[in-house]
């Protein structure tokens, strides 16, 4: 009887290992298949424009001249704005939930923040277009135009007509969208720190500010870095919310108030309207660039996190 049990366990273990190996191989096959399909569809545009496709600001379906610089600029700038706005707020919320708030409030607020992740991106986009953009135009943009018009650098960043939509608006909406994942990961990382570290810090006379910023946050800096990279990956590929509020202009401006475009927004707006093969191929080339950028960001993040752990 024991022999039958041993054989059954051996077969179960073998089946489990094969299932895990098959799943891992399937993920790799899917990844390579997506890359090959994008490369095949984008090849006519890449063959015609070459590396100039990356740096050209021309996007004219009438003359079949296409470049990715405008879309790449909008994608990177809006994602950077989102990280810049969401990270301090996420750190503050994470510290509050783990170190300051009572248990009943911590659980309630954490659940409410995590529910934000379940809101569809199109809802964020509609709210941004119909609610946030008009308020943003009438209040912040008008005030910023008066306050920063004479300031050398800020005058360039906050200039132009107060239309509500634009790079800054899309960055703010993206910040709302990545806030739940950043907050949840930072809160989870802070919760894993042993209480003995807190008690030892308070025992040598440190106050709450010193314990938080000189003990707790440095202890989870690798986790915070990983959370930022995951949030950046979502911000780079976000489509519908950005499409609603970024403006859809194939242009590159220093002003954050001006309409712009992103890689995902350009694809979403124009793919159904593409009338010739070169237009479709150029849109697929944008998708290929976004795929490569996202993959590169994740790969670099893994390498840096591994080096930090080894050091």
């Amino acid at each position: 009887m024991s022999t039958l049990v041993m054989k059954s366990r051996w077969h179960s273990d073998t089946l489990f290992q094969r299932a895990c190996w098959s799943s891992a191989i399937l993920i790799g096959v899917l990844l390579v298949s997506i890359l090959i399909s994008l490369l095949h569809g984008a090849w006519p545009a890449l063959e015609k424009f070459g590396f100039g496709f990356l740096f050209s600001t021309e996007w004219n379906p009438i003359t079949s001249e296409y470049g990715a610089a405008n879309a790449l600029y909008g994608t990177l700038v809006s994602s950077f704005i989102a990280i810049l706005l969401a990270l301090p707020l996420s750190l503050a919320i994470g510290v509050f939930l783990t170190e300051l708030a009572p248990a009943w409030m911590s659980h309630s607020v954490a659940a409410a923040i995590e529910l934000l992740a379940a809101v569809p991106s199109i809802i964020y986009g509609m709210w941004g277009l119909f609610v946030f953009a008009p308020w943003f135009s009438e209040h912040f943009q008008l005030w910023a135009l008066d306050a920063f018009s004479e300031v050398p650098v800020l005058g360039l960043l906050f200039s132009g007509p107060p239309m509500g939509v634009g790079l800054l608006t899309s960055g703010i909406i993206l910040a709302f969208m990545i806030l739940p994942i950043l907050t949840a990961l930072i809160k989870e990382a802070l919760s894993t720190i042993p209480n003995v570290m807190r008690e030892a810090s308070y025992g040598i006379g440190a106050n709450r500010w010193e314990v938080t910023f000189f003990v707790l946050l440095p202890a989870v800096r690798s986790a915070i870095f990983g959370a930022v990279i995951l949030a950046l990956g979502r911000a780079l590929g976000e489509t519908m919310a950005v499409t609603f509020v970024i403006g859809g202009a194939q242009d590159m401006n220093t002003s954050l108030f001006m309409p712009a475009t992103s890689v995902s927004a350009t694809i979403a707006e124009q793919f159904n309207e593409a009338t010739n093969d070169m237009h479709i191929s150029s849109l697929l080339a944008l998708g290929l660039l976004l795929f490569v950028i996202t993959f590169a960001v994740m790969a670099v993040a893994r390498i840096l996190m591994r080096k930090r752990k080894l050091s």
Side-chain angles (χ1 to χ4, degrees):
M1 190 69 180
S2 61
T3 304
L4 293 176
V5 172
M6 292 293 292
K7 287 184 178 180
S8 176
R9 289 181 176 178
W10 182 83
H11 287 301
S12 300
D13 186 62
T14 303
L15 181 62
F16 176 73
Q17 290 184 8
R18 290 178 178 177
C20 291
W21 273 100
S22 300
S23 300
I25 293 172
L26 178 62
I27 294 298
V29 170
L30 288 175
L31 189 67
V32 174
S33 299
I34 292 173
L35 179 61
I36 292 175
S37 62
L38 286 174
L39 186 60
H40 178 267
W43 186 253
L46 297 178
E47 187 178 25
K48 178 179 180 181
F49 303 114
F51 285 104
F53 182 77
L54 292 173
F55 308 105
S56 175
T57 59
E58 184 70 24
W59 189 274
N60 192 340
I62 298 177
T63 60
S64 292
E65 294 292 332
Y66 302 99
N70 294 329
L72 288 175
Y73 173 78
T75 299
L76 296 177
V77 172
S78 60
S79 300
F80 176 76
I81 293 173
I83 294 295
L84 195 64
L85 295 176
L87 181 57
L89 187 58
S90 299
L91 287 172
I93 295 174
V95 170
F96 172 77
L97 295 179
T98 55
E99 306 299 322
L100 303 176
W104 64 269
M105 181 183 293
S106 177
H107 295 311
S108 301
V109 175
I113 292 174
E114 291 174 0
L115 284 175
L116 292 175
V119 178
S121 61
I122 193 170
I123 302 300
Y124 281 105
M126 294 175 66
W127 175 81
L129 180 63
F130 296 112
V131 178
F132 180 76
W135 178 90
F136 192 63
S137 172
E138 295 177 5
H139 294 82
F140 178 80
Q141 288 188 336
L142 289 175
W143 170 82
L145 289 173
D146 293 333
F148 302 126
S149 60
E150 302 298 330
V151 181
V153 177
L154 296 179
L156 292 175
L157 294 177
F158 301 107
S159 62
M163 294 180 288
V165 297
L167 271 176
L168 185 57
T169 306
S170 64
I172 294 173
I173 299 300
L174 283 176
F176 282 112
M177 298 184 68
I178 66 176
L179 185 67
I181 185 172
L182 269 177
T183 303
L185 293 174
I186 292 173
K187 175 181 176 295
E188 190 67 26
L190 290 172
S191 300
T192 60
I193 299 177
N195 284 330
V196 65
M197 291 184 63
R198 299 176 174 86
E199 294 169 358
S201 301
Y202 288 124
I204 62 175
N207 56 32
R208 182 166 289 172
W209 167 272
E210 292 170 337
V211 171
T212 299
F213 286 91
F214 297 107
V215 178
L216 301 182
L217 292 181
V220 295
R221 60 180 180 271
S222 295
I224 294 174
F225 180 77
V228 169
I229 294 301
L230 289 175
L232 179 61
R234 179 178 184 186
L236 288 171
E238 183 54 49
T239 302
M240 292 310 301
V242 175
T243 303
F244 271 90
V245 298
I246 199 169
Q250 288 289 340
D251 202 359
M252 189 184 300
N253 289 288
T254 56
S255 174
L256 300 179
F257 290 168
M258 295 300 292
T261 190
S262 68
V263 172
S264 55
T266 300
I267 296 173
E269 289 173 347
Q270 300 189 19
F271 201 86
N272 287 335
E273 300 176 358
T275 57
N276 58 71
D277 294 338
M278 187 55 63
H279 194 178
I280 296 175
S281 179
S282 298
L283 293 173
L284 289 173
L286 288 179
L288 177 63
L289 288 176
L290 184 60
F291 180 88
V292 172
I293 291 173
T294 305
F295 186 82
V297 168
M298 296 300 178
V300 170
R302 292 293 297 270
I303 293 172
L304 293 177
M305 291 181 67
R306 184 174 299 177
K307 288 183 177 180
R308 289 187 177 186
K309 290 180 179 178
L310 292 176
S311 61

